[in-house]
Amino acid sequence: LDSKCFIDAMMRCSFCCQFLILPQCAKSFGRKTAVKSIPNSHSVIIRSMCNESNSSSRKYVTSLQNPRVKLARALVSNRKRKENGKFALLEGYRLILDAMQYGNVQIHTLFIYQSNKDHRSGVQQKYLDEILDKGSEYLSQNDQIYVDRNVLMEISDTATPQGVVAIVCIPKGTEESEETSRIDANFVLVCDEIREPGNLGTLLRSAAAAGVDSVLCTKGCVDIWNLKVLRAGMGAHFHLNIQVLDRNQLLKLVQEQYHCRIYVADSNGDQEYFAVDWTQPSALIVGSEANGPHQESIEAANSIIRIPMTGENTESLNASVAASIILFEAQRQRILSRR
């Protein structure tokens, strides 16, 4: 069907377009293909009609007692999320799409704010279409739930939610484990009892940007699936190999499997961070701001390193800032060594 004729037919007979032509196109070629075949100037109109034609099969929920809504509300609580163990909550179009594209994360339930369909930006609609497209193989109508504002605010952790929330199945290995991954790594970040969610999320984001092979977290760290960690990480979770391990097990992995030299960041260190040869297999251990690196980590270190500071009134840097400075120095050296 010629696209011009298609549009003319649509304008003359909205019933045919809404209930006969578009559903058949979507069934034959896929929703995305059917819409892409139409000129951009008419795509908004057609997309709207596609949405309307599916409205009868949508599942709308306004009750907080719905089992899936109750699960989502429980996952907002950090304690209950840890108790559950199998699921995590993701919020926002880009974060959910990143999880599906790069982390091979499967969605259990997708919540969409029903009133948002009229106010969604073009970019947000594009992301939502991609989310639905990627989940089409396993997301049934029952897994896509449209909710009102009251439900949305109960399952969201932000003051101004974007309007899309997902319960996802947590990838294996990212919960506390007794087993170690068999990957090879020669650039490793160890987060030693980092308890502040914003710090851990920023550490993960910097690690992904600096090309870290593996991030190892001790069991004393804040839950890596904490909503604030996820927000600060900006999708870094899905670009990294992350494991949560007992400290002794973690140090053994770094030394015996990865064969890395261990460097502990500490303001009282005896070696400046840029004097280290980061082109060799290396592991950087960063401790919490409150307590610093654990004694076992210090004892296992090949060197304690520091960032020299000339400011008289500055005792130390934020843990995520300090780690980021060191990680990007390591990346700089590694890039130069390959030229």
Side-chain angles (χ1 to χ4, degrees):
L1 182 63
D2 179 81
S3 62
K4 185 176 184 302
C5 294
F6 184 95
I7 298 301
D8 288 344
M10 178 188 73
M11 295 307 179
R12 290 194 183 95
C13 185
S14 62
F15 175 85
C16 289
C17 181
Q18 185 172 343
F19 296 102
L20 300 177
I21 301 173
L22 282 175
Q24 188 59 41
C25 282
K27 184 177 179 182
S28 301
F29 306 110
R31 183 168 178 264
K32 198 170 182 180
T33 305
V35 173
K36 272 189 172 179
S37 65
I38 308 305
N40 290 337
S41 58
H42 304 292
S43 63
V44 174
I45 299 171
I46 293 175
R47 193 183 303 284
S48 173
M49 289 188 171
C50 277
N51 288 339
E52 289 302 318
S53 69
N54 289 329
S55 62
S56 60
S57 60
R58 283 178 175 168
K59 182 176 180 179
Y60 290 95
V61 170
T62 58
S63 171
L64 297 179
Q65 299 309 308
N66 175 276
R68 297 197 187 212
V69 172
K70 288 173 75 173
L71 173 59
R73 292 179 73 193
L75 294 173
V76 174
S77 161
N78 294 322
R79 180 179 60 81
K80 290 182 179 178
R81 200 223 67 77
K82 289 283 285 184
E83 288 175 357
N84 178 281
K86 291 169 56 180
F87 301 110
L89 206 63
L90 302 183
E91 187 174 346
Y93 297 95
R94 187 58 186 269
L95 187 61
I96 294 170
L97 187 58
D98 274 0
M100 298 175 77
Q101 281 184 326
Y102 305 111
N104 296 316
V105 171
Q106 188 163 331
I107 290 179
H108 172 274
T109 306
L110 183 68
F111 300 95
I112 304 167
Y113 178 37
Q114 63 175 351
S115 298
N116 231 18
K117 63 176 181 172
D118 301 321
H119 307 290
R120 217 174 270 125
S121 71
V123 173
Q124 289 177 331
Q125 185 63 55
K126 175 178 175 290
Y127 285 153
L128 181 57
D129 288 342
E130 289 189 48
I131 290 167
L132 293 172
D133 214 40
K134 287 191 174 296
S136 61
E137 292 182 6
Y138 61 86
L139 272 177
S140 70
Q141 289 294 335
N142 286 333
D143 300 327
Q144 302 170 44
I145 299 179
Y146 289 79
V147 298
D148 61 11
R149 183 167 182 79
N150 180 45
V151 172
L152 177 68
M153 296 308 292
E154 287 292 328
I155 63 175
S156 171
D157 188 50
T158 58
T160 54
Q162 291 184 24
V164 60
V165 177
I167 298 174
V168 299
C169 303
I170 290 177
K172 287 185 68 176
T174 55
E175 287 290 274
E176 292 186 4
S177 174
E178 299 303 322
E179 296 183 6
T180 58
S181 168
R182 293 298 177 187
I183 71 155
D184 290 325
N186 66 12
F187 189 16
V188 179
L189 173 65
V190 176
C191 300
D192 193 356
E193 298 191 3
I194 302 292
R195 295 192 174 95
E196 206 284 310
N199 268 345
L200 184 56
T202 303
L203 281 165
L204 295 177
R205 190 175 180 185
S206 292
V212 166
D213 298 318
S214 182
V215 176
L216 307 177
C217 299
T218 62
K219 291 184 178 181
C221 284
V222 63
D223 178 16
I224 66 168
W225 295 100
N226 175 295
L227 287 168
K228 291 183 174 64
V229 177
L230 285 160
R231 229 175 3 257
M234 292 290 289
H237 288 66
F238 314 113
H239 297 269
L240 291 165
N241 173 63
I242 307 173
Q243 295 180 77
V244 181
L245 301 166
D246 172 83
R247 183 179 291 98
N248 290 333
Q249 185 184 17
L250 181 154
L251 292 172
K252 184 177 180 180
L253 173 67
V254 170
Q255 292 170 317
E256 297 181 12
Q257 183 173 320
Y258 296 161
H259 304 291
C260 288
R261 289 182 63 81
I262 296 175
Y263 300 96
V264 172
D266 187 86
S267 57
N268 297 315
D270 53 10
Q271 184 178 16
E272 293 172 330
Y273 75 100
F274 47 75
V276 172
D277 180 3
W278 293 103
T279 64
Q280 301 302 311
S282 309
L284 171 66
I285 298 181
V286 180
S288 69
E289 290 177 52
N291 303 313
H294 195 275
Q295 186 59 36
E296 286 182 50
S297 299
I298 293 173
E299 290 172 1
N302 295 101
S303 180
I304 312 297
I305 60 173
R306 62 186 174 85
I307 298 172
M309 293 181 287
T310 56
E312 293 180 2
N313 298 319
T314 306
E315 292 184 5
S316 64
L317 294 172
N318 170 286
S320 57
V321 171
S324 298
I325 291 170
I326 298 170
L327 289 175
F328 281 99
E329 166 60 19
Q331 184 198 44
R332 184 190 70 82
Q333 291 186 22
R334 285 167 177 253
I335 290 172
L336 290 176
S337 72
R338 292 194 293 267
R339 288 182 178 172

